[in-house]
Amino acid sequence: MGTLLQTSVFFCLSVGFLFLPENSDAFTGNDLSVQCQFVFRNVCFEFVRESETWSQARSSCANRGGDLLKVVNSPIQMFLKNNSREGNISNFTWWLGEGFQGQHQEPTTKNAEVSKENCTYIKDPFQLILTSDCNQRRGSLCTHRPKRTLYSDMHMSVANIDSLLLAAEEELLRMERTADEPTNQNRDEFIKYLFLGTVKLLDDSILPDNDTVTKIIKCSTGILLLSMNKCDIKTNPNPTSLFEQVFEIFRIISELVVSKYPQQFIIRHPTGIIYQSTHTPADLGNVVLGSEQDGAFIKLPSFAALKSQLGGYDSIKSQMAIFTKNPHPTDVQISGTVCSLLLSNNKKEIHLSNLSEMVEIFIPYPNASIPTNSTIVLEKNTKALTTINVSDPDVTICLTVEPNANVALVLRLSEGSPPNDTYFSNTTILSLTEGYRWMITPEMLQHTRGVWYIESGLLNSSWEPGLTLRINSFTAKCVYWDVENETWSTYGCQVGDKSTPERTQCLCNHLTLFGSSFFVMPNYVDISRTAELFSTLSENFVVLALLCTFFGLYLVTLLWACYSDRRARSKRKMTLLEDNHPGAQYNYLIGVQTGHRKNAGTTANLTGSDGESDTHVLTDPDKPVFERGAVDMFLLATPFPLGEVQNLRLQHDNSGGRPSWYINKVTVQDLQTRQVFHFFCNCWLSVDHGDNMTKKTFNAAKNNEVASFRNIFQTRTSTGFRDEHIWVSIVDPPSRSPFTRAQRVSCCMSLLLCTMAINIAFWNIPIKEDSPVVFEFGSMQITWQELMVGVQSGLLMFPINILIITIFRSIKPRVISKSHKGDSEESLRPPSVTIPSILKDIEEVISKMSISPRNKMSETHRLESTSDLSYALDMVHDFIQLMQGESESDPHWVYCSKFLLAGLCHLLMCLEKLDERNFPSPQDYLQTLNTTNILVRKAEMVFSSHLAYCPPPVKKRKKKATCWLPWWCVFLGWFLLLSISGISTFFTLLYGLDYGRAKSIKWVMSLGLSLFQSIFILQPLKVLGIAVFFALLLKPVAVEESEEIEQLKLEQQIKCGRYSGRHSL
């Protein structure tokens, strides 16, 4: 219904109020929810003086059952001018509707920051102004139309075909946009009034123009398609007479048009084609109705067979209709086109039945598949056996057995078991003069489902070496619509011998609605002959040798993949930076993507809007970092949030054998707010390359840079070839992907075996001698036919590709928690406490707090004695008072107070371990200890206060689109992979042995083309297509979220607990 709906939408939008009645009839407003003051052409205009924004005005108007005015033409403009003066409303401005149609008299105001939508308002003198500031408050002009029904619109317009069609198009548009439409009542009324309006044209002998005929046809097919595609079609099926009701409108239109075009005319509509012509009875003999170019046509019998039923008429109108979709869906499978033929005189329909000669109906099957084909070498004193599984008792089997020599063949048919000299149900003789096709009718099959056997052998012909039989078969069925019984029936119809897989010839002795059913028999291989076929391995080892070669390569590649996975597994881990302060609890995840060279070491420094981080050494004692193409992840902890990260400083010490480093990209993810900052580096840090610098500062990328087409396309393409391209990803898969190399190699092997099985199962088609040669190298030739087989096999691989690979890619990585029991006693033993160590710790706490300008804390001088400790505690006390005075809490003060509390608890714990002899006097020691205790309690109060009044950071909800399977599903994936591989191997070998050596060699050539297309054409196109799709949607790559991050955060918390002596922190 695409054409109809597009026409309807355009028609309705372009008309607007122009099609309101010309006369302003009395309008009581009883069917409206508002009191009507101004009425023009049966429309109520409501001037709302309440000041509202445009969206508020639209909503309030809709709540009262109206719409903001959308169209202003000259009559409406004059009406509004007169009433604005009379109603004393000229000093107001009024909002108009969305998608307003009219000529604006002033330029658009530029205020795009307020609203992205353009809105229109009207002011006096009559001026239409388009503005982007839709948040201003104005009055509004709301319009109301009386509530109408399908009955009131179409019933009252039956006498006027133009008004009727306008109402019909509006009703079709309403039905399409409304749920549960069309209802049975609305559908029946629609067809009824459209039929009455069309009959009125016939009764009045009005010749409609082409536009009117087109609209009637479109409205008829529109309601038919809407009814056939409604949502509740299964629970509320259409009546079987629906098609006949719509077709009756077609018949009336044909009678109207045939007087204007007496010879022949053609109507093409969304559901098919109608051919209309006028003939004398004698001219109908052997006439062809329809068009062979369009596919479907009907050939009538000779006039001698028609004379008894048509000879009494002077003129006969023929109407042949083709429908692309079955108008009577039932349990009977109807494939392809449906056609009908209607003969009539000027008064009534003419029925033809029990003709002495058959009517030939040719019905195309546009989506026909290649039928089953096989070539059998007929040895001396042997016979060929064909097996066919019949699932429909009313089908006709079109069997062709074509020898490569001029010989006569005898064919025998039997059910359940192969025929012999005494057991068979039907037999026939095929020869060159009579043709080598046998039409096995439902009567021969005794209308019985099951397995049928056909035996082919020589008859009175001498055998010659190299004799082959090319056998192909397909099934077809001819049915017609029985109006009385409302079902599809085969009575009086049979399949003709001119049928092909692309077009069925039906022979019927009556006229009605005809359809055909077509099935393609799959390539059959007799599994019971497995032992017999495997005994021929010594003669035909081509497929076996190919399979052994592939399995050998697979085992070698699998060993390499397992070794590479073992090395990569140790490099996957995320790193908790060792130089993180143990009291810092605000976490960032740093992702560093290296280019093509190694480096010796790197340090990084983050700068944010709220402060600056310390310099951190990005290294991991357990694994090498910054290797070529690697993505290294580090957890960085800071005492407080850095805010909007503005820039990043990277440097390395130029040590090691190959210190040059090419850095691609760095990402900084705030693990509290999930905000991500991107740094596009793409440069060398080296004294030998680029600008010969080992230290650089990079600015954070802006949002438009991150979401740019270039960035997303490059990122998606790079990750796509390394992850989505199953063959290329074996060499260099993503370092953090759970899809291992061994799994990828095994999936490639499974896909290869599936490709071989699908390819060989559908490959054995008849060889076309005229197929052009696409490629020729020496004695090897590749024809267009072989190329197409490779394309089809490659396309069939997509479902299997998704089935196998998605399982491994969606398995959740198994994260094993690290045990702290294995830590050495030395690592768990706290370091010795001395006055210098205490001074160093408190100096470090103050230094980190003084980094942020918000803390207003100056950096202390070097602490050297216990007297300096009192000065440091005074600075801490002043900072606590500053935090107490902050009335508004935010994450900065929460994490600052938490960090300070951890430092003071650590100081108190160390002081308690010291002896008073380390101080000048016992009083100094007690005073320092008491002061620290007081500061700890104050810090606890400040931390609790800010934590209670500070809203938690807004965390973006995790996307539910990422669906992880449990880790144990890996065993399910391996089971499916091995099962599919084993089944594919078995059938590939079985088909190869059945084909013989010569055809197996030819099949191997076709397989090579299929693999080439899959690896170098289809897979790259898929990767590029996905990259373009995401780039057009401007969807950046997802950020990192995993259980491993939570484990690193837990380790940092454990360090904080050991540092402060409080595990609750």
Side-chain angles (χ1 to χ4, degrees), residues 174-347:
R174 186 198 66 80
M175 287 181 181
E176 186 186 26
R177 294 177 175 178
T178 307
D180 301 327
E181 286 283 359
T183 63
N184 294 341
Q185 180 181 359
N186 288 344
R187 177 201 63 218
D188 295 340
E189 289 186 351
F190 185 98
I191 297 176
K192 172 185 175 182
Y193 298 136
L194 187 61
F195 173 76
L196 292 177
T198 310
V199 171
K200 188 72 167 54
L201 292 178
L202 183 63
D203 294 340
D204 297 343
S205 300
I206 299 176
L207 296 180
D209 55 17
N210 292 341
D211 184 58
T212 301
V213 172
T214 301
K215 289 182 178 180
I216 295 175
I217 295 293
K218 287 183 176 180
C219 288
S220 303
T221 55
I223 190 63
L224 179 63
L225 288 176
L226 277 178
S227 301
M228 294 173 65
N229 298 319
K230 63 181 181 179
C231 298
D232 59 345
I233 188 66
K234 293 184 178 179
T235 58
N236 181 27
N238 296 312
T240 55
S241 60
L242 173 64
F243 177 74
E244 277 70 25
Q245 295 173 2
V246 174
F247 197 76
E248 185 65 18
I249 300 177
F250 293 170
R251 187 188 64 81
I252 297 175
I253 285 295
S254 300
E255 293 186 15
L256 287 169
V257 179
V258 76
S259 57
K260 187 176 182 180
Y261 303 95
Q263 297 301 322
Q264 181 177 2
F265 70 94
I266 301 174
I267 300 176
R268 299 182 184 272
H269 55 87
T271 58
I273 308 173
I274 299 176
Y275 301 90
Q276 181 82 22
S277 57
T278 305
H279 308 267
T280 62
D283 293 338
L284 284 176
N286 296 318
V287 71
V288 176
L289 304 175
S291 171
E292 296 188 32
Q293 295 179 351
D294 293 331
F297 61 94
I298 296 177
K299 184 178 180 181
L300 294 180
S302 64
F303 180 66
L306 299 173
K307 185 176 181 180
S308 61
Q309 302 187 42
L310 299 180
Y313 299 100
D314 296 330
S315 176
I316 297 176
K317 299 175 183 177
S318 68
Q319 183 189 75
M320 178 185 170
I322 300 174
F323 303 94
T324 57
K325 189 175 181 180
N326 178 16
H328 295 298
T330 62
D331 295 336
V332 178
Q333 179 68 30
I334 303 297
S335 305
T337 305
V338 177
C339 67
S340 69
L341 177 61
L342 177 67
L343 300 179
S344 65
N345 62 356
N346 293 328
K347 298 181 179 179

Side-chain angles (χ1 to χ4, degrees), residues 904-914 1058-1061:
L904 289 174
C905 289
H906 176 73
L907 175 62
L908 180 62
M909 184 173 60
C910 293
L911 288 175
E912 290 175 346
K913 294 180 181 179
L914 278 179
R1058 292 176 181 173
Y1059 170 75
S1060 63

Side-chain angles (χ1 to χ4, degrees), residues 869-933:
L869 182 60
S870 299
Y871 169 74
L873 293 177
D874 290 339
M875 293 184 65
V876 171
H877 182 262
D878 294 340
F879 180 59
I880 292 177
Q881 288 183 331
L882 173 66
M883 291 191 293
Q884 283 180 327
E886 291 292 336
S887 58
E888 295 183 1
S889 299
D890 59 31
H892 175 83
W893 299 118
V894 171
Y895 282 92
C896 281
S897 58
K898 186 177 183 179
F899 175 76
L900 185 62
L901 177 59
L904 289 174
C905 289
H906 176 73
L907 175 62
L908 180 62
M909 184 173 60
C910 293
L911 288 175
E912 290 175 346
K913 294 180 181 179
L914 278 179
D915 191 77
E916 60 184 16
R917 289 175 295 182
N918 292 282
F919 286 80
S921 65
Q923 291 79 12
D924 292 338
Y925 172 72
L926 292 176
Q927 182 180 359
T928 303
L929 191 63
N930 291 334
T931 302
T932 306
N933 254 316

Side-chain angles (χ1 to χ4, degrees), residues 351-504:
H351 296 277
L352 297 181
S353 60
N354 299 321
L355 296 173
S356 58
E357 298 179 17
M358 292 292 190
V359 179
E360 297 183 53
I361 304 102
F362 292 88
I363 303 176
Y365 187 77
N367 299 321
S369 303
I370 300 174
T372 302
N373 296 272
S374 61
T375 302
I376 299 175
V377 178
L378 194 63
E379 301 293 344
K380 189 175 182 180
N381 298 326
T382 60
K383 297 180 180 180
L385 185 64
T386 304
T387 306
I388 297 178
N389 186 12
V390 178
S391 58
D392 189 337
D394 295 325
V395 298
T396 297
I397 301 175
C398 303
L399 178 69
T400 302
V401 183
E402 186 176 355
N404 62 347
N406 184 6
V407 295
L409 301 174
V410 57
L411 276 64
R412 293 172 178 171
L413 176 69
S414 66
E415 178 195 4
S417 60
N420 51 45
D421 294 339
T422 59
Y423 175 72
F424 59 88
S425 59
N426 282 277
T427 183
T428 189
I429 298 175
L430 304 180
S431 63
L432 181 62
T433 56
E434 300 294 335
Y436 289 103
R437 169 172 283 196
W438 189 17
M439 305 297 294
I440 305 176
T441 64
E443 290 73 21
M444 297 180 185
L445 297 173
Q446 303 171 8
H447 298 278
T448 303
R449 296 181 177 90
V451 178
W452 287 79
Y453 294 87
I454 304 170
E455 182 186 74
S456 305
L458 293 177
L459 176 66
N460 299 328
S461 300
S462 59
W463 175 85
E464 295 179 1
L467 180 62
T468 61
L469 301 180
R470 186 170 65 179
I471 303 174
N472 64 74
S473 63
F474 63 91
T475 61
K477 181 172 65 172
C478 293
V479 293
Y480 77 97
W481 180 249
D482 189 342
V483 179
E484 295 181 358
N485 297 320
E486 295 183 346
T487 184
W488 290 99
S489 173
T490 60
Y491 178 78
C493 291
Q494 64 187 45
V495 179
D497 58 3
K498 296 180 183 178
S499 298
T500 65
E502 296 80 17
R503 185 167 61 188
T504 303

